[in-house]
Amino acid sequence: MKTRKHSRQRDAVMNCLMARHDHPTADAVYLSVREEFPNVSLGTVYRNLNLLADSGEIRRLNCGHGPERFDGDTHPHYHFICRECGQVTDLPMDVLEQMNAEAQECCGGQIDNHITYFYGVCRECLDKAKE
Amino acid sequence: MKTRKHSRQRDAVMNCLMARHDHPTADAVYLSVREEFPNVSLGTVYRNLNLLADSGEIRRLNCGHGPERFDGDTHPHYHFICRECGQVTDLPMDVLEQMNAEAQECCGGQIDNHITYFYGVCRECLDKAKE
DNA sequence: GTCCCTGCAAATCCTTTGCACTCCT
DNA sequence: AGGAGTGCAAAGGATTTGCAGGGAC
């Protein structure tokens, strides 16, 4: 493990992700952090997001189209992505252990974690379409 | 459905994805197609990959870091991604229906499909690390 | 003092797009 | 003929990186 010095900007990035649960993009995190540190740079936000993601303190989400998103909740859970509005919401589910066991057997290697995305249309967009 | 004309370049893209099962990137497909059409452009490959993916004939894979990958196999299945070598392999598994049913209930919306990625270290890289 | 971290800007990577021309139908 | 498809090159968006200065330990 590499030595790491304390940084208030990194704290701010971490706090931002712990506080909001909408799976923000790097740019959205940048805008949040800027409220506290008006001079923070986008590069710094990216550097810290990568640092935190690589060390497992936050999670990176690749939701298909668009920029990467980040999740401060590292508990195993799933994500539902609406292809109309792009919203990403959490799905607590129970099939995790069975899946991991089966997958471990299939791949022969070692599984650290797994990420599942469900794509579809959220209730709000479904309702909107009916009107 | 939009009218679509026949194109030999698109055929080549499709054939490439049906023939190889290593989930190639757009650039890898481009290199393959170039063997048959030396003048094909990367833009054309991207256009056709998007066309085919949007119409559901192939699948787009967002494997985390690096460029997007494509899969000619549209049957529901999972992917195991080695974080050492980047290799992407298929995982046939059985828990699909249960997951979809649970997720459908959780999100309240409508689920079209779902994609699951398992991250870890493949057997080859595990063996290599032991040496 | 050392070395990590930062802001800034330029660079890079991947993907899309505008245009004039070609090929299907 | 009409319009979808193409090659080319330039543009675009997202992310990374080099560098000189600033901050943590």
Side-chain angles (χ1 to χ4, degrees), chain B residues 5-6 8 26 42-43 46-47 50 67-68:
Chain B
K5 286 185 181 164
H6 185 246
R8 296 185 295 152
L42 190 52
Y46 269 107
R47 269 186 289 237
N50 283 334
E68 222 153 25

Side-chain angles (χ1 to χ4, degrees), chain B residues 82-127:
Chain B
C82 176
R83 63 170 153 71
E84 296 295 327
C85 66
Q87 181 193 180
V88 182
T89 49
D90 291 337
L91 291 181
M93 286 175 58
D94 254 2
V95 290
L96 204 88
E97 281 175 32
Q98 187 193 346
M99 280 189 66
N100 280 337
E102 283 193 34
Q104 183 80 53
E105 191 157 334
C106 285
C107 74
Q110 165 197 314
I111 287 177
D112 303 327
N113 71 329
H114 88 263
I115 296 187
T116 298
Y117 303 106
F118 292 85
Y119 293 92
V121 184
C122 71
R123 178 173 291 170
E124 290 76 34
C125 289
L126 278 179
D127 291 347

Side-chain angles (χ1 to χ4, degrees), chain B residues 7-44:
Chain B
S7 125
R8 296 185 295 152
Q9 286 88 336
R10 182 158 52 242
D11 284 350
V13 167
M14 193 66 202
N15 289 338
C16 167
L17 280 174
M18 297 308 280
R20 53 196 287 182
H21 299 97
D22 60 340
H23 315 85
T25 61
D27 201 67
V29 173
Y30 169 61
L31 291 177
S32 272
V33 173
R34 235 154 67 120
E35 290 172 17
E36 190 182 352
F37 297 90
N39 291 324
V40 77
S41 80
L42 190 52
T44 294

Side-chain angles (χ1 to χ4, degrees), chain A residues 5-6 42-43 46-47 50 67-68:
Chain A
K5 284 184 181 167
H6 184 248
L42 191 51
Y46 270 107
R47 269 186 291 240
N50 283 334
E68 222 153 26

